[in-house]
Structure formats: C-alpha cells, structure tokens
C-alpha cells in the first residue's frame, strides 16, 4: 500500500466513524437506554432536583442500585452525579431501607413501609435535614432496586418528578419467565436465535448477557426464571448440569431473579437408575427428596419445579395409574423443607382422540381441587386450546377455588406471526385478565383468581413463555421487546392499561416526542387485532401450518391425531363453519359458570370475536354488521391486511424521527408481515370458499394465487420447532 492510499483509507475510516452514531442502535440496550433527556426545561428541573445520590449500606443488590442510578443519571442528565454515603446539599436522592440506611430510618416511614410488603417501594418528594430531597425507600434491597428502575423510568419518560408520592407493590408473588430452552441451545418456539444459556461454557464462563438479562428482568419486576423447556431433559438434574445452574443462579441472585427448573417425571429412571417413577413408590419419593436436597445445597434459594406431565407424550403419574395431584404432591414434598414450590401445568390432553380437546384440562383437573399440597400451583394457559391469536378465557379460572391457579401466557409469538410479525400482546393479556369468570358472582375476573384475592390465596403466580434468544436485540423483532416488557409490567400490576404500557415502552425505547409516541402507540394497539383478522377472525382457531405452525394451513387433515388438524377445529362444510361447543355439540360451554354459558351459548349474544369458537354458523347467517357470515369473513381477512398496510404507512412517516438501524429493521419486517398477511388472507378465503361456494365481494382485493399454489407451499427449516 502506498503512503497516499493508506492516508486515504485512514481518512475514509475517520469519516465513516464520525458519521456513525456513538452507540449502535441495534436494540441491545432494550428500554434501558438512558439517553439524554431532550426537553430542555425537564432536563434543567431534573438536574436541580437530583444533584447528589446517597446510598448507605452494602450488599450485592445495593451495589447494583449504585451502579444503575449513576449510569442512568449520567446518561439522562448528561452529567456525573456523585453517589456517596452522606447528604450534603439540596437535591439529594436517597435510596435504601431502614435497615441499610440510618438516613432512611430517620425519615420515620414505617407505617408506609408496612403497607408495601417485601418487594414494594416508595418514591417520595420529601425533606432531608431541612433540604428538598427525594427518597426511594423499601423493606428490602430488591425493593430499592425496583424503585430505582421506576424512578429512572420516570426520567426516561420525561415525567414531572417535583411532587412524587408513589407506593407500589406487586399484586402477584411469582412473576416468572418460562424458557422453552433445550440443553443443545435450540429453543422450542423461539424465534430470536439460540438459547442464552451457554451450557458448554458454564459454570466457568459468565457471559455479560446473563447479567444484562437479569438486569432487564429486574427493571420490570420479573423475579423468577425457569431455565429449561417444559418438554424436559432429565440431564439438567444431574450434578454436571446443576453446578452450571448454580453459576447462573449466583449471577442472577443480586437482581432478585430466582432460578427454577423443569422436572422430567421419569428422571428417577433415566438418571437415577430406578425401575419406576411411580409417585407413590417410597424409593421414588426419596430419590426426589435427595435430588432436591442436592439442588438446595448448591442453590439455597432455588425456586422449585415446573412440570409438564402426561401431555403430548411427556411421562407423568398417569403412567402408573396415579393422578396429577399424586405427581405434584410428591415433588412438592421434596422441595417443601426448603420453601420451594411446584408449578404443575394443566396443559394436558390424553392420547385418545377427544370429542373436544378444549374440555380436557378442566375435566382432568377440576375434580382434583383441594387435593394439592400447599406449595403447588396449577399453571393454566390463558385459553383452553393453545395460545391462539384469540381464545376465550380458560374455564379452569375460577373452577378450582381451593387451589392456587397460576397464569401461563405466551410471550413468544408461536401463533401470532412468530419472529416476523409485529403484534403487541398487552391487549391480549389484558383481555384474559379482565374476563369475568362469574365464579363468585359478577366481577370475579381472571385477574382476581390469579392474584389470589378471589379465593384468599397467598401463593400466587404468573408465567410468560419467553421470546428471548441470542439475537443481538434479544427478541428477534424489535417490537418483541415490548411484549417482554408488557408481560413484566402486567405481572407486577395487572391493572395497568395496555396503552400506558405501550407509551412507557416507546418513550424509553425510542424517545418521548409525541410525534413518535402517538403513531407508534396506535400501531401497537391495533397490531394484535390485525393478526387476529388476517389469521383467525370471528373465533376461528388452530388453522396454521402443520408442526411448525408457520403460515396458514386450514386444509390440514388426516394426521395421526385428529385434534392436531385444522379441519377438527374449523369444521367447515357446505352449511357453514365453526365448532359447536354448545349442548348440541361438544358442550364445552358447560364448563363455564351459568352467566358465561348464557353469554357464549347463544350466537346472538356471543361476542362476535368468539362466534366460530362456540358455534357452527351458516354461511348466510347475518352478523352484527348486517353482512352474511361469509362476507364478514372476507372483510375481516381483508381488514387485517389493510391494518398491516396502515402500520407500514405509519412507520414510513417516522423515518425522520428514528435512527436508521431500527427504522430499517422494523420497515423490512413490516414488509414481510404484509406478505404473510396476504398469504393468510388469500389461502384461507380460497380454501373456505370451496365450502361456502360464494364469491369474494367484488370490492375486495382478489387472491394473488390459486388455492393449489398455497396448499403446496412447504416452508422448510422454520425456526423454533
Ligand atoms: C404448544 C407448543 C409446544 C409446547 C406445548 C406446551 O406448540 O411446542 O410444547 O404447547 O405448552 O403451544 O407444552
């Protein structure tokens, strides 16, 4: 290389560096970006109100508090704010517990602190030694950390912090992510790369990502993580793996994140050398007792086990003629001495073809109410089939008053566009939480069942199947982050509104400019409905591609299990379409309380979004819009596509306000989403038309291809299987 060319190269490199933003906007920083507050007056105000930080005491969690607040303020206020042990001027931000901090103790907050429990926090504008100050106080160091993140959220969202009087307590005790991560690092139904857990390098190597992961969870109040897939591998319970699990647990502990594992029911045979896994066999019980003691000797705060048993080929107590309570109680007894819990899943259906799979969990579990140990929660999916784009609430909510019932949501978008579609799920989570079971009269919402208030349970929990992987931006689709975020926020407080959670997330993830917040919020709030429209409108369900569940597959039939096919669920024929779950059909409706039965049982009162879930409806039936069912179906499918196009338009209008990297990322995915939406619309309408024998209304876009074309599509290597 000549001197001249090397100088040129250098100059070019320099120019390139200068044109790059200082920090790559690749999504890695999630909602914890801490970029400088843009509004000038707010910035001034914040600088005045927070001129020094005081954190007394020492603990690993308090060290994180110090680091987080220093980093947050440095970024947001664009100036260093000293973090010390003594208050010396106006504008002190004091953080701590009465136990860790004499200054916090001197504020005499005991009455207020009593009301907020171990994990809650207070954020108060107050006086300290006669000078204006702000205090973040809690009963535990973790409460202080949660309060710290809340305070930083206020600054990130440019909120007024001059008169703060916040007290916040989680409504649900166990707020848990379920990772469907396999030991080979593939992730079942994962669309964001591979598993974060690098088992091969553990326990020796603690990846920075583990800490960043724990920090992100702490920032939204998630306090537990089940590391392994519900379709469990017993190997994780061997000593070799347990020391790796311990390393993760140690890394997560200061962030308040407890570790849980999935327990393969046949582990005593597979790794313990026993001849049986019968839960009533004393040798089996002692094997689990010893295994549990071994785990606790390594991880003293181990959370407990999550179990999928006797479902989809997994082993379980029924293999030995025992029931789910027998299985759950055996494991519960094993972890009870150390305070562990068992989360026993109700996602079960037996090997025989049922008259209606939707009825199986209720039929199997309801009779067992009152027979579980005190440290067992039954974990129920939001709906009775399987994480469909829309499902009515699961009839088990409210049906087992003597048993703590835990919610299982799916954050990963197995049936909601996987890694390519933008679907903001808070409205879906809220829809289930707000549904009224009528278990104890009007107002017996699902939320009250799971937060324990309906039946006076103190053991409470909520789980979300994680959408996190090794992709640089954690969730594959940038907007997948909003679902991780929304799950955590709702797990802490299910009364938060979807639009407010969206606004928080947008402000922190992008900026608090109203020209960004409002349009993005609108996009997010219509996105899930758009997916329902172009995939499964009017209560249709389970009509996706075979096995990988990617794309439409309403024609799927003749498989080894009828209840895994699409025709089993949509039941389209020349007369009409839909699954009759009323008395004239499977009568699944009888599993709900009478007012709900009445509502869903009559097609006239049944909310239209569930019409074909509960009824087989004639093609010419007049729906609320006055259209025939067939025409309504055509319009809904088309509306879904239009909604995606509207999202594309909205996003395109934001280019000037956003960084190139994330703008292009989302724009490209929205383009894919539009293609997939059309694919769904065209394939489903052409297929259902073979039964309805009616034309697609002439004002709607015509299908791009023939039905045969769509039916022979066979995408290979779809991720997440
Ligand atoms: C279904 C998934 C499957 C899971 C199963 C479960 O397709 O991969 O194993 O649920 O929740 O949604 O157990």
């Amino acid at each position: 290389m000549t001197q001249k060319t090397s100088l040129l190269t250098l100059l070019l490199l320099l120019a390139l560096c200068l044109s790059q933003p200082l920090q790559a906007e690749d999504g890695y920083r999630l909602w914890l970006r801490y970029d400088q507050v843009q509004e000038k007056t707010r910035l001034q105000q914040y600088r005045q109100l927070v001129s020094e930080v005081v954190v007394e005491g020492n603990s690993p969690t308090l060290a994180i508090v110090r680091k987080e607040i220093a980093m947050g303020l440095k970024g947001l206020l664009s100036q260093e704010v000293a973090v010390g042990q003594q208050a010396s001027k106006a504008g002190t931000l004091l953080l701590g517990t009465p136990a860790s901090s004499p200054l916090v103790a001197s504020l005499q907050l005991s009455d207020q602190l009593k009301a907020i429990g171990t994990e809650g926090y207070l954020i108060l504008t107050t006086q300290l030694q006669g000078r204006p100050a702000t205090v973040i106080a809690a009963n535990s160091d973790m409460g202080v950390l949660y309060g710290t993140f809340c305070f930083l959220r206020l600054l990130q969202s440019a909120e007024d912090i001059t008169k703060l009087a916040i007290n916040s307590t989680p409504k649900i005790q166990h707020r848990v992510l379920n990772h469907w991560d396999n030991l080979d690092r593939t992730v079942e139904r994962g669309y964001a790369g591979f598993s974060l857990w690098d088992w091969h390098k553990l326990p020796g190597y603690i990846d920075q990502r583990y800490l960043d992961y724990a920090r992100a969870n702490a920032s939204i109040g998630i306090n537990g993580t089940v590391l392994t897939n519900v379709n469990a591998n017993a190997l994780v319970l061997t000593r070799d793996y347990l020391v790796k699990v311990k390393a993760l647990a140690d890394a997560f502990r200061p962030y308040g994140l407890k570790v849980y594992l999935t327990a393969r029911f046949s582990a005593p045979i597979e790794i313990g050398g026993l001849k049986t896994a019968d839960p009533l066999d004393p040798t089996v019980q002692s094997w689990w007792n010893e295994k549990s003691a071994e785990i606790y000797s390594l991880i003293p705060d181990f959370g407990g086990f999550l179990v999928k048993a006797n479902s989809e080929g997994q082993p379980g107590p029924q293999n030995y003629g025992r029931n789910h309570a027998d299985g759950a109680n055996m494991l519960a007894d094993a972890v009870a001495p150390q305070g562990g819990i068992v989360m026993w899943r109700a996602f079960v259906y037996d090997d025989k073809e049922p008259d209606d799979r939707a009825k199986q969990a209720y039929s199997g579990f309801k009779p067992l109410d009152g027979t579980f140990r005190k440290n067992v929660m039954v974990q129920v999916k939001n709906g009775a089939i399987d994480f469909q784009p829309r499902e009515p609430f699961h009839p088990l909510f409210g049906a087992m008053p003597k048993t703590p019932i835990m919610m299982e949501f799916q954050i990963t978008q197995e049936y909601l566009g996987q890694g390519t579609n933008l679907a903001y799920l808070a409205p879906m989570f809220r829809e289930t939480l707000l549904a009224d079971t009528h278990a104890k009269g009007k107002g017996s919402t699902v939320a009250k069942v799971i937060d324990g208030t309906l039946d006076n349970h103190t053991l409470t929990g909520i789980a979300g199947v994680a959408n996190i992987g090794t992709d640089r931006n954690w969730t594959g689709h940038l907007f997948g982050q909003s679902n991780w975020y929304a799950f955590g926020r709702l797990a802490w407080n299910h009364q938060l509104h979807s639009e407010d959670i969206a606004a928080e997330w947008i402000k922190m993830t992008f900026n608090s400019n109203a020209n960004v917040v409002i349009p993005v919020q609108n996009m997010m709030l219509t996105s899930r409905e758009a997916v329902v429209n172009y995939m499964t409108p009017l209560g249709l369900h389970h009509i996706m591609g075979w096995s990988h569940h990617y794309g439409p597959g309403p024609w799927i039939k003749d498989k080894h299990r009828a209840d895994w096919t699409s025709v089993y669920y949509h039941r389209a024929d020349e007369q009409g379409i839909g699954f009759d779950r009323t008395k004239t059909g499977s009568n699944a409706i009888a599993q709900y309380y009478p007012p709900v039965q009445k509502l869903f049982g009559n097609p006239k009162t049944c909310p239209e979004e569930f019409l074909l879930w509960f009824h087989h409806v004639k093609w010419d039936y007049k729906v609320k819009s006055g259209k025939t069912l067939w025409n309504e179906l055509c319009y809904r499918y088309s509306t879904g596509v239009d909604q995606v196009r509207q999202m594309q338009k909205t996003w395109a209008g934001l280019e000037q306000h956003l960084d190139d990297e994330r703008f292009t990322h989302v724009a490209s995915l929205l383009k894919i989403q539009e293609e997939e939406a059309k694919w769904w619309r065209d394939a489903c309408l052409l297929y259902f038309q073979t039964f309805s024998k009616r034309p697609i209304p002439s004002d709607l876009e015509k299908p791009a291809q023939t039905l045969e074309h769509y039916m022979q599509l066979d995408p290979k290597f779809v991720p997440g299987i």
Side-chain angles (χ1 to χ4, degrees), residues 180 188-189 230-231 308 312 345 347 381 386-387 414-415 549:
W180 286 359
E188 183 156 339
R189 312 310 179 182
V230 287
N231 297 317
K308 171 175 177 176
E312 299 187 328
R345 296 177 87 226
F347 180 71
K381 286 189 182 180
D386 191 9
F387 297 139
E414 176 180 359
Y415 298 97
H549 299 168

Side-chain angles (χ1 to χ4, degrees), residues 339-605:
I341 59 167
V342 170
M343 300 172 283
W344 191 269
R345 296 177 87 226
F347 180 71
V348 297
Y349 51 97
D350 62 35
D351 299 338
K352 286 162 243 97
E353 183 190 326
D355 67 327
D356 185 355
R357 188 173 119 189
K359 294 196 296 194
Q360 296 220 312
Y362 180 101
S363 312
F365 275 81
K366 163 116 181 118
L368 300 177
D369 190 25
T371 64
F372 290 94
R373 295 281 191 272
K374 289 210 158 18
N375 56 336
V376 175
M377 279 191 277
V378 171
Q379 181 170 309
V380 178
K381 286 189 182 180
N382 57 292
I385 294 295
D386 191 9
F387 297 139
Q388 297 303 295
R390 170 167 275 130
E391 292 199 34
F393 70 91
H394 202 303
L396 269 177
F397 293 113
M400 297 178 65
K402 296 189 196 124
T403 311
I405 299 293
M406 184 173 177
M407 171 65 76
E408 179 175 320
F409 282 130
Q410 195 182 49
I411 309 172
T412 190
Q413 294 166 237
E414 176 180 359
Y415 298 97
L416 284 121
Q418 304 195 348
T420 47
N421 289 197
L422 193 167
Y424 171 56
L425 300 181
M428 185 178 88
F429 300 155
R430 288 270 294 161
E431 190 173 293
T432 308
L433 292 165
L434 291 173
D436 196 346
T437 68
H438 286 267
K440 289 193 168 165
K442 206 167 152 33
S444 307
T445 59
V446 171
K448 287 187 188 162
V449 174
I450 64 159
D451 73 11
T453 53
L454 193 69
D455 300 305
N456 291 320
H457 289 296
T458 47
L459 179 61
T460 56
I462 181 167
V465 179
N467 60 349
I468 304 160
T470 49
D471 274 9
R472 181 69 193 156
N473 71 4
W474 302 88
T475 52
H477 197 306
L478 182 79
F479 277 76
Q481 295 181 1
S482 70
N483 293 328
W484 178 8
Y485 183 84
F487 169 76
R489 298 287 288 131
L490 284 172
W492 183 278
N493 179 4
H494 54 65
Q495 285 169 349
L496 294 177
H497 293 260
S498 305
E499 50 270 42
D500 296 334
I501 300 173
E504 278 178 9
W505 179 79
I506 298 163
K507 289 175 184 171
M508 293 190 279
T509 303
F510 299 109
N511 56 58
S512 34
N513 178 347
N515 293 327
V516 171
V517 178
I518 292 164
V520 177
Q521 194 183 29
N522 288 337
M523 274 173 67
M524 290 170 75
L525 291 171
T526 49
S527 58
R528 182 269 185 146
E529 210 56 49
V531 174
V532 171
N533 282 331
Y534 62 74
M535 288 188 185
T536 52
L538 293 166
L540 286 173
H541 51 287
H542 210 291
I543 55 171
M544 62 286 150
W546 176 251
S547 174
H548 49 59
H549 299 168
Y550 170 64
W555 45 80
I556 304 285
K557 59 175 182 181
D558 298 335
K559 297 287 183 187
H560 61 285
R561 287 192 66 118
D563 58 334
W564 282 357
T565 68
S566 303
V567 297
Y568 174 90
Y569 292 99
H570 65 66
R571 309 211 166 189
D573 56 26
E574 311 243 319
Q575 304 296 310
I577 182 170
F579 198 134
D580 183 359
R581 293 194 161 102
T582 67
K583 281 199 197 86
T584 50
S586 78
N587 205 21
I589 215 146
Q591 296 182 335
Y592 289 103
Y593 283 89
V596 183
Q597 278 180 38
K598 207 166 146 220
L599 180 76
F600 290 162
N602 177 348
K604 292 283 169 226
T605 56

Side-chain angles (χ1 to χ4, degrees), residues 61 64-65 68 121 136 138 140-150 218-219 254-256:
T61 301
I64 292 167
V65 167
E68 195 69 35
Y121 55 83
I136 302 179
S140 68
D141 293 349
M142 261 321 292
V144 179
L145 183 57
Y146 290 141
T148 305
F149 280 116
C150 174
S219 78
Y255 296 90

